[in-house]
Amino acid sequence: MTNHPIKVTKTTQSSLSSVDFSDIPFGKVFSDHMFVVDFDGKEWKNAEIKPLQHLSIHPGNLAWHYGQSIFEGMKATKLADGTPALFRPEMHAKRINASAARMCMAEIPEDLFLQAVEMMVSLESAWIPPAEGSALYIRPLMFATDEFIGVRPSTLYKFIIFTMPVGPYYPKPVSLLAEEHFIRAAYGGVGEAKAAGNYAASLYPAKLAKEKGYDQVLWLDARESKYIQEVGTMNIFFVIGDKLITPITDGTILKGITRDSLIQIAKRKGLFVEERLISIDEVVNAHEDGSLKEVFGAGTAAVISTVSKIGYRGKDYVLDHENYKIGPMLKAEINGIRSGRVEDSYDWVKKIAPSLVGV
Ligand SMILES: *Cc1c(COP(=O)(O)O)cnc(C)c1O
């Protein structure tokens, strides 16, 4: 696991002592170090872990103009005995390369990605908040670095990993607006890539949804405004009758690792799971006949987010979210596996040695 030479320069001024783990503002607190490696057109070079610092970027940096920029989001947690652990890290390594391929960017060797993530977690292990539900959020990203104006794939790329402690996340139930005018992803587009531009494109419709009193947009397909895709940074699940249903990954939705994990857990628990097209009409009809039992989102950040209502064509479909059973059961199971309380019969949890990075 330490095949690649990675130079390590440790900080002499850790900011860890200034952080209150019982009150961490989300997305604003960064750990001490970052991993950086550069692609020179042929290979990845000068891999290095060093104190977190600003980058110096030319104004003609290709990524800023034409959008070759992709990322991942994963979490390190501590097992009951204090051992740092990652959840299915190899899935994130594969997915960033799937995103890279679609955006015509350099791919990063999976073993380099995994070694860098593991070394960062090992080095920053004191930054993993101990409370259950807390985590060290890990943000790998890659972007073009050619200094060139003109639409073409970059030759040069930078890959970075930095990390952020996040507090126990108690997600509030979310309200969704099913969106018929704006779209997130079309067939053949880049919806399946974790590409920066996808999130920029979602901001304006999300702002309009907020003005109407909804938390987030429920995206529908681009052809017929009919089939449900996903939400912001979460995949979506419905419990209708005795079935757990989630949209198929048809290239327009992100292949969530939480989604995949929940499907596997649900199947093993004996639930009927269907990955298929599901239309907004089917959901509305199921609400009206009383068979729509639960709606929840699934993603690394909140694991499972309960949906309290769905707005569609001027009408609100309110859900009995305080009496959900399957969503909370799946959440307890996945969190149990991640914390070591429930046996990891899937081999999903990767323990990290605390001393991967020498002094
Ligand atoms: C990251 C993301 C998800 C969730 O994926 P996980 O691997 O479960 O974190 C879902 N949808 C979108 C659009 C995302 O960006």
Side-chain angles (χ1 to χ4, degrees):
M1 204 8 97
T2 47
N3 309 334
H4 294 275
I6 297 180
K7 181 181 162 201
V8 179
T9 311
K10 290 190 189 176
T11 182
T12 52
Q13 292 174 311
S14 173
S15 54
L16 182 57
S17 61
S18 67
V19 180
D20 175 4
F21 275 169
S22 65
D23 181 25
I24 314 171
F26 192 90
K28 285 198 227 171
V29 179
F30 303 93
S31 73
D32 289 325
H33 299 91
M34 65 200 270
F35 169 83
V36 185
V37 65
D38 292 306
F39 188 73
D40 69 359
K42 286 200 180 71
E43 47 186 345
W44 292 94
K45 283 212 176 122
N46 304 326
E48 187 177 8
I49 290 175
K50 57 187 180 183
L52 182 74
Q53 55 197 259
H54 290 89
L55 306 170
S56 171
I57 306 266
H58 188 276
N61 187 58
L62 209 65
W64 284 346
H65 302 267
Y66 310 113
Q68 279 184 300
S69 182
I70 57 177
F71 66 97
E72 270 302 316
M74 54 203 291
K75 278 178 174 174
T77 47
K78 272 186 177 155
L79 302 178
D81 67 0
T83 309
L86 289 162
F87 188 73
R88 309 186 76 184
E90 67 293 342
M91 298 285 285
H92 293 276
K94 288 193 168 69
R95 191 169 65 188
I96 198 164
N97 281 332
S99 298
R102 180 63 183 85
M103 304 306 286
C104 212
M105 298 168 72
E107 293 180 29
I108 181 147
E110 278 178 36
D111 60 349
L112 175 57
F113 178 100
L114 293 171
Q115 184 186 332
V117 170
E118 290 178 23
M119 283 177 72
M120 280 293 290
V121 170
S122 183
L123 182 63
E124 306 293 54
S125 58
W127 283 88
I128 308 173
E132 184 160 338
S134 309
L136 187 66
Y137 185 81
I138 302 163
R139 172 50 61 91
L141 77 152
M142 193 203 296
F143 53 90
T145 53
D146 276 14
E147 293 163 8
F148 178 78
I149 293 301
V151 178
R152 61 146 173 80
S154 188
T155 317
L156 310 177
Y157 296 91
K158 200 178 271 297
F159 174 81
I160 295 179
I161 301 171
F162 60 93
T163 76
M164 319 167 75
V166 293
Y169 197 84
Y170 300 112
K172 285 199 208 91
V174 292
S175 58
L176 305 179
L177 178 62
E179 172 59 64
E180 284 192 280
H181 176 64
F182 296 102
I183 60 154
R184 175 183 180 277
Y187 299 101
V190 298
E192 198 173 271
K194 234 170 157 70
N198 281 338
Y199 306 86
S202 73
L203 294 175
Y204 181 63
K207 180 181 144 202
L208 297 182
K210 284 207 179 84
E211 284 168 9
K212 291 182 192 150
Y214 298 88
D215 297 313
Q216 296 203 50
V217 173
L218 179 61
W219 298 106
L220 302 178
D221 80 280
R223 231 179 248 155
E224 296 180 70
S225 303
K226 179 174 168 187
Y227 296 105
I228 292 167
Q229 292 181 331
E230 60 177 317
V231 182
T233 57
M234 301 189 294
N235 295 113
I236 191 138
F237 285 82
F238 301 88
V239 178
I240 299 181
D242 63 352
K243 292 198 179 84
L244 180 64
I245 306 168
T246 191
I248 50 166
T249 52
D250 59 359
T252 64
I253 74 172
L254 209 285
K255 287 184 175 165
I257 293 160
T258 314
R259 173 189 181 279
D260 180 75
S261 307
L262 295 180
I263 290 172
Q264 290 194 47
I265 292 171
K267 283 185 177 163
R268 212 179 274 189
K269 293 261 173 207
L271 297 174
F272 299 108
V273 183
E274 292 181 351
E275 293 177 67
R276 61 168 170 84
L277 290 177
I278 176 164
S279 69
I280 185 71
D281 304 320
E282 178 179 349
V283 171
V284 163
N285 291 339
H287 186 274
E288 282 172 351
D289 73 19
S291 59
L292 179 65
K293 305 288 183 207
E294 301 183 24
V295 184
F296 52 85
T300 294
V303 186
I304 282 182
S305 283
T306 298
V307 175
S308 56
K309 74 173 180 191
I310 296 175
Y312 178 59
R313 295 195 171 162
K315 207 171 154 204
D316 278 341
Y317 299 88
V318 177
L319 294 145
D320 183 16
H321 64 92
E322 273 156 18
N323 290 311
Y324 284 5
K325 292 189 181 65
I326 291 177
M329 181 276 284
L330 292 172
K331 181 172 185 170
E333 188 73 8
I334 198 168
N335 281 343
I337 293 169
R338 299 186 74 146
S339 65
R341 279 184 289 101
V342 173
E343 200 208 324
D344 176 23
S345 50
Y346 305 87
D347 206 16
W348 283 343
V349 175
K350 166 87 187 156
K351 291 184 189 173
I352 306 299
S355 54
L356 282 180
V357 185
V359 189

